[in-house]
Amino acid sequence: MLRLSATLCTLILLSPAAGASALYDELAAAKIKLLGTTRPDPGMGLWAQQTNETLMSLIEGKWIDLGYSDLASEDKMKQYCDKFGESFKKLTDYSFDIIGPITRSKHAIHREYIFKTGISYNYRWNIEQQIEVLGSGNGKEILKNANGTSALLMMSPNTLLEIDFSFAQPILWGRCPTE
């Protein structure tokens, strides 16, 4: 009898229904993380408004590109933040500015992001500042990349995923600790 019970339990646990429950849980969690609900048709207009409001409420602070950051230790991360952290500053309810650190010029370079729709934001570089840093010989390249569009998705209050459509690459931003 004990053997029969063990066999039945094994069959039940390994059945497609048991796997479907885990699959359902995974899919529901993904939908909640991205869309904020498990209901059908969350309404893209409302969803876009909520994602923008969330982003704007969390955007201010100093951030680093985690792809280039030294995260070998907390001290290394803090040093990287101090040297290369970029300031994110809310401008309006629909726009913010990224101000790069002063590394190669007398002025920080600004990049303004403006809400477009959904999780899409148009951005534009301050080309005069870029020309000052990179030189007028790079003018054509600077102008070619002066404007673009990115998808921005808050992964958590301290991580922001940016997909730049011009360069087709992800940037994972991480918030720097506050002093």
Side-chain angles (χ1 to χ4, degrees), residues 102-169:
I102 300 172
T103 54
R104 297 187 287 172
S105 70
K106 297 176 188 172
H107 307 287
I109 296 177
H110 291 248
R111 185 168 70 241
E112 184 178 356
Y113 284 73
I114 304 156
F115 179 67
K116 184 176 179 180
T117 185
I119 58 174
S120 296
Y121 289 76
N122 290 321
Y123 66 81
R124 64 176 174 223
W125 289 91
N126 184 313
I127 58 171
E128 290 82 15
Q129 291 171 338
Q130 281 198 306
I131 288 172
E132 178 186 325
V133 173
L134 301 174
S136 59
N138 294 312
K140 287 182 182 178
E141 193 66 25
I142 290 169
L143 292 173
K144 184 173 95 176
N145 299 311
N147 299 298
T149 303
S150 282
L152 300 173
L153 180 62
M154 292 299 298
M155 303 298 292
S156 76
N158 297 309
T159 55
L160 171 67
L161 176 63
E162 176 179 357
I163 307 294
D164 185 321
F165 297 142
S166 300
F167 297 104
Q169 67 181 21

Side-chain angles (χ1 to χ4, degrees), residues 33 62-71 80-81 86 88 98 111 113 150-164 169-176:
K33 184 167 181 81
K62 197 177 215 184
W63 296 75
I64 52 175
D65 179 343
L66 294 178
Y68 290 101
S69 303
D70 186 352
L71 298 180
Y80 197 88
C81 280
E86 300 190 36
F88 286 44
I98 297 179
R111 185 168 70 241
Y113 284 73
S150 282
L152 300 173
L153 180 62
M154 292 299 298
M155 303 298 292
S156 76
N158 297 309
T159 55
L160 171 67
L161 176 63
E162 176 179 357
I163 307 294
D164 185 321
Q169 67 181 21
I171 302 167
L172 185 59
W173 294 98
R175 186 183 304 277
C176 290

